[in-house]
Structure formats: structure tokens, C-alpha cells
Amino acid sequence: MSGRAQLMWDDQETAYDFGAGHPMDPVRLKLTWALVRAFGLDAGLKVVAAPPAGDSTLELVHRADYVAAVRRASADPRAAQAGAEAGYGIGSVDNPAFAAMHDASALIAGQSVGAAEAVWRGEVEHAVNFAGGLHHAMPGQAAGFCVYNDAALAVARLLELGAERVVYVDTDVHHGDGVQTVFWDDPRVLTISLHETPRTLFPFASGWPEETGGAAEGGAVNVALPAGTGDAGWLRAFHAVVPELVAAFRPQVLVSQHGVDTHVEDPLAHLAVSLDAQRVVAEACHRLAHEHAQGRWLALGGGGYAVADVVPRAWTHLVAIAAGTPVAPQTLVPQEWQEQAYALTRTSVSARMTDGAAARWTEFDDGGYDPASRLDQAVLATRRAVFPLHGLLP
């Protein structure tokens, strides 16, 4: 192993920009990179810019006609907005066309694929692409602010390189539907998604505990959390489902998606999770990679629309954990970065790398199960649906 961690970054990733007023504001990427540098984390890891994913790579997941449609939309965004590519999900409110759509999307995908290659080949133990995690894109359609599904592409590349068992853990507030769809019938991949119930949140039609995979039954795991779930419930659910399944599957690589739209301040969802709980889950994924995947860990970003105060701090914690130099929660946020964040967003940001939350939970077991708790009901529904398929007791 030639290095501990690699951070994928290219300034041109900020060209992934759906336009003014869209929640997916690329300023969140600019501010994350700036905060990583303000803490000096870039000096302790490899910072690499991979090339954009070419068509042959994109077609590991996406249909050729869809890639062509994205290219057409990039060349003529006005026509796409007028409905020329509506059948491909392009030109909608969620996914408006823009001139750099193909190039920026392929660049982000290329970073995740490059990260997967570096981890698999042993060049580094861990790799992070916080611009990635665009988990809603389908093989033939853009969806949920996502054009190319870099998370699925990274997993597909690992399989192409010879991986036989990959676990994908998705902690975004939205169901990781695109990744689940791609690997629904593939026994080499276990997808685990912990998300707000589709009763109250996009994508609405998927993410139920009964969805356990197709030909690869047990290959899909879904924990549908009730709206309003906070730290104690979120962490309880994660630890009640993820560690046992990862241990049972014995992955060669762990890929995790760290969308931070679970945060209580996020404007698009209804969970009440703190930055501190998000840091705990990042630490847990790091630990699981070392316990069960020979340390091979690829960590991606994802959703997160409190773009100044929450996203940069959360993903800086993620980078620091991967680099082996975690930032203590009570650490002061550099003043110059706070000023930069205000200048770019006119939003005041927190002074420390914590929300001041305890981020505690109680373990889920038979003695601690509360049948009146909607959270516990959701956890038990998932365990009953999928644990026996892996030889585990629900």
C-alpha cells in the first residue's frame, strides 16, 4: 500500500451547475475544498484529478442512447429545456439542461471511477470524492439532480477489475434507488440504503424494506425511517442493520455514500440528524472497511442543501477521517474560511466543527425493542425482510 488516502478533486467539477436557484449549488463543493485546505488536510493525502469518464466507462451503467441524449442536451440546452430530451429526464425542474452537462457529469464520474481503481489496485487504502454520490441517475434517465450515476459506475468498475463482493452503503436522506436498480440482479453487490421513508420523500416509489433484490435475493437492503428521526434513532438504525450485514457479506471493498441532507437544517427533507451523528457514521464506515474489507474504502458525497454551514463541515470531517487525521469536534472553524463562506453565500456559519450534539444511541436487541416505536418498527421490518437471507437472526 503506497499511501493511506486519496482525495479526488478538479476545480472543473463545479461546472456541474443546474443554474441560479437550484438546490444543487456548486458553492457547496467550492466551500468544502476550501475548508479542507484551510485545515491543511490536502498536505496529508494525495490530491488527484482523474480524467472524465469516457463513453465505454459510462456504458458500464448507462445506455448508449442516454449518453448521446446528455451530449445533445449539452450542445443545445434550450432545445432540451423545450422538451427535446424529456424522455431521458433532462429538461425537468429537477434536472434542467445546461451547457456543460455532459462534460461536468463525466468528470465527476471519472473521479469516482479513478478512486475505485486506486483503492482496488492498492495504490491507497481510502479514496474520497465528495463531489460524487449522484445515486439517483438511472441507466437511461436523469433523476433527482443526478445525470451520471458515479456511485454505480465506481462499483461497476470494481467488478470489471475483478472484485467479487462489494458492499455499497448509502446514508443519504433519499433512497439510493439508481444504485439499487443497477445491481438488483447482481449477487456480487450488496446495496444498503438508510433513508427517510418514501411515504414522505422523493423518490416516493422505492426504498421499502420488502425490496430485497431480484435474481440476487438479499442483495438489496432498505431501512425506511420515519420523518423526524433524530440522532438517537438514526444511529440506532444504522448500527442495527449495517455492521451485521457487512460482516456476513465479507466485502473486498466498501463503498459508502455520505449525503448530508439528513441534517436537521437541510431544506429538502424531514430528518433531524446532527453533524456529530454524521461524523459518527463516517467513522463507522471507516472502521467497517478495516474490519471486513482489508481497509479498502471509497467514500462519496451526495445530497446536502444547507450548502454553507452543513455540507463543507460534514465532508471535511469525512476527508479527515479517511486521511487518518480526524478533526476534533470542538475545533474552531478557521476565521478566514468563515469570511469566505459569508462572502459567497451571505450566510453565517458555525464557529466550530460540531453542532454540540451528543450523538448517542442505544443498541437494538430483543430486550431493547419498543413495539410502539415507529423507528424500531422500521428497523425490525428491514431485519425480518433481509437478515434470514444472509443467515442472520432478525
Side-chain angles (χ1 to χ4, degrees):
M1 193 73 65
S2 61
R4 181 180 181 89
Q6 180 166 299
L7 175 62
M8 313 303 297
W9 178 250
D10 186 315
D11 288 337
Q12 293 304 308
E13 289 175 283
T14 59
Y16 191 84
D17 186 354
F18 290 110
H22 193 283
M24 184 76 90
D25 189 334
V27 74
R28 65 195 198 126
L29 303 181
K30 295 177 185 177
L31 288 175
T32 300
W33 171 236
L35 188 56
V36 165
R37 295 185 66 193
F39 276 115
L41 296 173
D42 56 318
L45 43 69
K46 295 170 65 177
V47 180
V48 176
D55 285 6
S56 62
T57 297
L58 294 172
E59 288 168 21
L60 291 174
V61 165
H62 295 289
R63 299 197 317 253
D65 62 306
Y66 173 65
V67 175
V70 177
R71 286 185 181 277
R72 289 194 301 270
S74 299
D76 192 352
R78 289 188 178 183
Q81 281 303 110
E85 309 298 344
Y88 293 103
I90 301 169
S92 64
V93 173
D94 279 358
N95 309 293
F98 58 97
M101 178 174 273
H102 171 78
D103 291 344
S105 302
L107 182 60
I108 290 173
Q111 306 314 304
S112 292
V113 170
E117 292 171 346
V119 169
W120 181 253
R121 291 169 177 162
E123 297 168 12
V124 291
E125 277 189 309
H126 315 322
V128 181
N129 178 22
F130 57 73
L134 305 178
H135 60 167
H136 293 307
M138 295 292 177
Q141 191 169 49
F145 314 161
C146 305
V147 178
Y148 293 141
N149 195 322
D150 67 284
L153 285 163
V155 174
R157 180 61 173 145
L158 288 168
L159 300 178
E160 187 179 47
L161 291 171
E164 297 175 346
R165 296 181 309 281
V166 179
V167 169
Y168 170 77
V169 176
D170 191 316
T171 61
D172 195 282
V173 77
H174 302 92
H175 178 223
D177 56 342
V179 184
Q180 174 179 286
T181 296
V182 170
F183 300 108
W184 184 252
D185 293 311
D186 196 327
R188 298 172 295 176
V189 181
L190 174 66
T191 65
I192 307 173
S193 181
L194 188 82
H195 49 266
E196 182 179 333
T197 173
R199 292 185 189 277
T200 52
L201 195 67
F202 179 91
F204 301 110
S206 67
W208 302 103
E210 295 80 12
E211 297 166 33
T212 58
E217 191 177 10
V221 181
N222 290 288
V223 188
L225 302 172
T229 297
D231 286 3
W234 193 64
L235 293 172
R236 177 174 169 87
F238 178 93
H239 288 92
V241 172
V242 177
E244 286 187 71
L245 287 170
V246 171
F249 198 75
R250 300 178 297 109
Q252 294 162 298
V253 186
L254 177 68
V255 179
S256 55
Q257 195 265 24
H258 298 267
V260 293
D261 39 11
T262 52
H263 196 273
V264 64
E265 293 180 8
D266 197 273
L268 300 189
H270 317 100
L271 296 192
V273 174
S274 72
L275 182 80
D276 303 277
Q278 292 169 342
R279 178 178 49 79
V280 167
V281 160
E283 290 173 339
C285 289
H286 178 213
R287 184 172 60 254
L288 288 169
H290 280 282
E291 290 175 351
H292 303 293
Q294 301 82 49
R296 297 189 187 100
W297 181 35
L298 169 55
L300 306 172
Y305 308 102
V307 297
D309 190 37
V310 176
V311 174
R313 290 188 300 147
W315 288 346
T316 297
H317 274 303
L318 179 66
V319 171
I321 290 164
T325 53
V327 176
Q330 291 297 329
T331 302
L332 289 170
V333 175
Q335 181 64 35
E336 64 273 19
W337 182 85
Q338 295 183 57
E339 294 170 357
Q340 180 182 7
Y342 185 81
L344 288 174
T345 68
R346 297 302 176 191
T347 301
S348 297
V349 295
S350 300
R352 295 184 185 273
M353 292 293 286
T354 177
D355 288 340
R360 297 191 183 98
W361 73 96
T362 55
E363 295 290 347
F364 187 94
D365 55 38
D366 290 341
Y369 170 66
D370 180 359
S373 163
R374 290 191 301 149
L375 184 283
D376 282 5
Q377 291 169 12
V379 170
L380 188 57
T382 298
R383 288 168 60 114
R384 284 176 171 165
V386 78
F387 269 37
L389 300 173
H390 292 270
L392 301 172
L393 295 174

